[in-house]
Amino acid sequence: QVQLVESGGGLVQAGGSLRLSCAASGRTFSTYALGWFRQAPGKEREFVAVIGSSGRTTYYAASVKGRFTISRDNAKNTVYLQMSSLKPEDTADYYCAARSSSILSKIDRSYDYWGQGTQVTVSS
């Protein structure tokens, strides 16, 4: 079984930066594709970014492309989301997720494991 724990959320002013981390347990972490999703109050969960098992391939939602960077350190069983040029509309609960597939996906229901989330609030 895989367990995911997010950290790094908090309050930040518009234009600022935050780095989210997601620490994972599991012997086969390096074989999983890893994604970040977010959910704002009253809205549905949406895709943010995904990274392949090797770390060489990534995909981003259009709303964050150029501002966010996803990366992973398989030796540390950790995936990161570096967020820059933050906007108030980035305010949401952020979740990391894992799926046992080499195929990248932006569909939340295709992911097998989820963290409990970390809150990000961007003030104007």
Side-chain angles (χ1 to χ4, degrees):
Q1 200 74 287
V2 175
Q3 294 184 3
L4 305 171
V5 181
E6 303 96 335
S7 63
L11 299 172
V12 64
Q13 288 188 324
S17 300
L18 282 175
R19 181 187 293 272
L20 305 183
S21 299
C22 176
S25 64
R27 298 178 180 178
T28 59
F29 176 86
S30 62
T31 69
Y32 282 63
L34 300 170
W36 285 95
F37 294 79
R38 66 186 183 185
Q39 187 169 24
K43 296 185 178 181
E44 295 183 351
R45 185 169 54 195
E46 65 174 344
F47 167 78
V48 176
V50 63
I51 187 167
S53 60
S54 69
R56 295 194 298 266
T57 54
T58 60
Y59 183 80
Y60 297 90
S63 60
V64 306
K65 190 174 183 179
R67 299 188 298 119
F68 291 11
T69 301
I70 187 171
S71 62
R72 65 190 294 166
D73 186 337
N74 288 341
K76 297 181 178 179
N77 284 355
T78 302
V79 61
Y80 305 94
L81 185 68
Q82 176 65 50
M83 306 184 294
S84 300
S85 300
L86 284 163
K87 305 174 181 180
E89 49 263 48
D90 294 318
T91 295
D93 290 329
Y94 283 72
Y95 301 86
C96 65
R99 64 193 301 261
S100 56
S101 174
S102 61
I103 305 300
L104 277 61
S105 174
K106 62 180 181 180
I107 307 301
D108 55 358
R109 299 184 68 175
S110 70
Y111 286 78
D112 303 304
Y113 306 100
W114 291 83
Q116 293 186 328
T118 185
Q119 175 70 46
V120 173
T121 302
V122 184
S123 64
S124 59

